[in-house]
Amino acid sequence: MSAVAWTAAGSLLSWLWLLLCQGFFWRTDVRLPPRREPDAWPSVCVVVPARDEAAVLPAALPSLLRQDYPGRAEVFLVDDGSADGTGDLARDLAGRHGGLPLTVSSPGEPPAGWTGKLWAVRHGIGLARARGPEYLLLTDADIAHAPDSLRELVAAARSGGFDVVSQMARLRVESTWERLVVPAFVYFFAQLYPFRRIGGEGTRTAAAAGGCVLLRAETAERARIPDAIRHAVIDDVALARAVKRGGGRVWLGLADRVDSVRPYPRLGDLWRMVSRSAYAQLRHNPLLLAGTVAGLALVYLVPPVALAAGLAAGSAAAAVAGGLAWLVMAGTYVPMLRYYRQPLWLAPLLPFTAFLYLLMTVDSAVQHYRGRGAAWKGRTYARPEAVPDEG
């Protein structure tokens, strides 16, 4: 067999392994686990970090204020240095819509070593602790919740004995680029962190989705959250790992009625979203970057190239192996497309989308070594070696 055929065979074997041995990551039936209503509903404080979110707040905040929750609950929105009137808009929305009590506060500028929204989260948790809640709901300002979202999360946590119950919010898919890139984003995330493994007892896999995280307050204090993860770029995964290291139980799955209302209409918007944290996911390690690029090429790019090359050169082995690998790849993508209610003809385009993600990952590394680093809402993250150690 030719080198192309052998490479295609390696790609096919990789896909068979991913299909059967990577926690069935491609399935989309991991939703909130079985649950029953508790005899007494625990108190919950909702913490919403918000920085320049006036554009999305009207579609998201009222859904939190209207939560149909039988126990005591209130919302703390932390206006993290917004320049667009986010705090005033939040107060106005609360006055017009009513519902759960809302407190709007500002934490001031973060000290060195605090990244992204975590300083705002810390401030919000500090305010919430004065109320003595049993649970904290950490949710982003662009997340719209169904009226029963909070009660379903609490019931799942209580019934399953979980310290963290997190739902991957359904992201917006309306523009052409969103349709092409967004379902793949969740697909790749599930491939890295198979949801079934996260919720299993005794497993080491840990992850959460930062847009919707119900966290037991006692667990947060024991794990020193968010102080222990103050320098994390991918803070939701770091949170889940900190909880699991402390012996806590974590559950993560896809959401049915928890949606992100944030638009990503252009490729550049999605590019920034991915490249912001891609190299941090690889721990800023050049060897891991090289391995990731090679792995993406073998798994996602080789199948269509091998099929085309095999047909052009008359190599049946290369064409068959490449075609079968591409078929398995597309087949594993179909459930995610159905979850996002997208046409199935997008499945064969996954190699092109994966190539975009490869470029985004490389660009993330380039930005890192140019000294720009990751950024969030105009705030640049400190380089890992510059983060102070506070013990």
Side-chain angles (χ1 to χ4, degrees), residues 177-247:
W177 286 112
E178 286 171 339
R179 294 174 188 275
L180 190 64
V181 175
V182 165
F185 176 81
V186 183
Y187 172 88
F188 292 142
F189 185 93
Q191 193 175 86
L192 287 172
Y193 306 102
F195 296 159
R196 278 175 171 75
R197 292 184 180 172
I198 293 170
E201 291 193 60
T203 63
R204 298 180 60 183
T205 306
C212 178
V213 178
L214 184 76
L215 172 65
R216 191 186 298 272
E218 181 183 352
T219 300
E221 191 165 359
R222 186 170 61 246
R224 296 180 55 246
I225 292 172
D227 296 63
I229 59 171
R230 65 191 182 279
H231 51 71
V233 176
I234 311 175
D235 51 83
D236 43 14
V237 174
L239 181 151
R241 286 175 175 166
V243 169
K244 270 209 169 182
R245 278 198 303 268

Side-chain angles (χ1 to χ4, degrees), residues 35 42 53 102 108 116 172 184 189 198 252 265 313 327 352 371 382-383:
R35 53 207 177 275
E53 298 286 17
L102 173 70
R172 200 188 88 144
F189 185 93
I198 293 170
L252 171 64
L327 183 63
F352 173 71
R383 291 169 63 93

Side-chain angles (χ1 to χ4, degrees), residues 5-361:
W6 279 112
T7 305
S11 181
L12 177 58
L13 288 174
S14 297
W15 273 109
L16 292 176
W17 183 85
L18 288 169
L19 176 69
L20 301 173
C21 303
Q22 186 60 4
F24 294 101
F25 76 94
W26 43 272
R27 294 182 58 172
T28 57
D29 57 349
V30 181
R31 309 298 171 87
L32 279 177
R35 53 207 177 275
R36 62 185 180 278
E37 293 193 351
D39 295 331
W41 289 92
S43 61
V44 182
C45 285
V46 182
V47 176
V48 185
R51 182 175 172 88
D52 293 331
E53 298 286 17
V56 296
L57 213 57
L61 183 60
S63 73
L64 281 173
L65 300 176
R66 291 194 299 261
Q67 285 299 297
D68 177 20
Y69 186 68
R72 181 168 59 87
E74 58 183 304
V75 180
F76 293 87
L77 185 138
V78 183
D79 182 10
D80 189 8
S82 299
D84 65 351
T86 290
D88 291 336
L89 176 59
R91 295 184 185 94
D92 179 65
L93 290 169
R96 285 191 280 130
H97 292 276
L100 298 182
L102 173 70
T103 298
V104 179
S105 183
S106 179
E109 284 300 309
W114 285 84
T115 59
K117 61 187 179 183
L118 286 173
W119 178 245
V121 171
R122 184 183 194 269
H123 183 76
I125 290 178
L127 294 174
R129 278 180 176 149
R131 306 292 199 271
E134 188 171 339
Y135 288 95
L136 302 163
L137 175 62
L138 311 181
T139 186
D140 289 342
D142 66 326
I143 303 298
H145 293 257
D148 62 350
S149 176
L150 182 56
R151 66 187 297 160
E152 292 294 295
L153 286 165
V154 170
R158 273 295 184 83
S159 300
F162 294 106
D163 296 274
V164 170
V165 172
S166 179
Q167 288 186 291
M168 177 74 72
R170 199 189 305 257
L171 304 177
R172 200 188 88 144
V173 281
E174 295 182 13
S175 72
T176 299
W177 286 112
E178 286 171 339
R179 294 174 188 275
L180 190 64
V181 175
V182 165
F185 176 81
V186 183
Y187 172 88
F188 292 142
F189 185 93
Q191 193 175 86
L192 287 172
Y193 306 102
F195 296 159
R196 278 175 171 75
R197 292 184 180 172
I198 293 170
E201 291 193 60
T203 63
R204 298 180 60 183
T205 306
C212 178
V213 178
L214 184 76
L215 172 65
R216 191 186 298 272
E218 181 183 352
T219 300
E221 191 165 359
R222 186 170 61 246
R224 296 180 55 246
I225 292 172
D227 296 63
I229 59 171
R230 65 191 182 279
H231 51 71
V233 176
I234 311 175
D235 51 83
D236 43 14
V237 174
L239 181 151
R241 286 175 175 166
V243 169
K244 270 209 169 182
R245 278 198 303 268
R249 295 188 62 199
V250 177
W251 184 93
L252 171 64
L254 294 172
D256 286 315
R257 292 188 297 153
V258 176
D259 303 291
S260 171
V261 299
R262 189 181 305 282
Y264 294 97
R266 297 174 296 273
L267 177 60
D269 302 317
L270 291 158
W271 193 290
R272 285 187 290 274
M273 178 189 75
V274 175
S275 63
R276 180 183 73 84
S277 60
Y279 197 40
Q281 177 69 52
L282 302 176
R283 302 195 290 274
H284 304 102
N285 187 318
L287 293 179
L288 286 178
L289 174 65
T292 298
V293 170
L296 285 171
L298 174 67
V299 174
Y300 289 99
L301 306 186
V302 164
V305 171
L307 175 60
L311 292 174
S315 172
V320 169
L324 286 175
W326 198 357
L327 183 63
V328 175
M329 179 199 315
T332 63
Y333 193 36
V334 165
M336 190 60 69
L337 289 174
R338 285 179 172 160
Y339 171 73
Y340 271 98
R341 306 181 187 96
Q342 297 304 301
L344 300 188
W345 57 261
L346 288 171
L349 300 182
L350 187 56
F352 173 71
T353 305
F355 180 62
L356 290 178
Y357 274 87
L358 186 155
L359 296 178
M360 294 173 193
T361 302

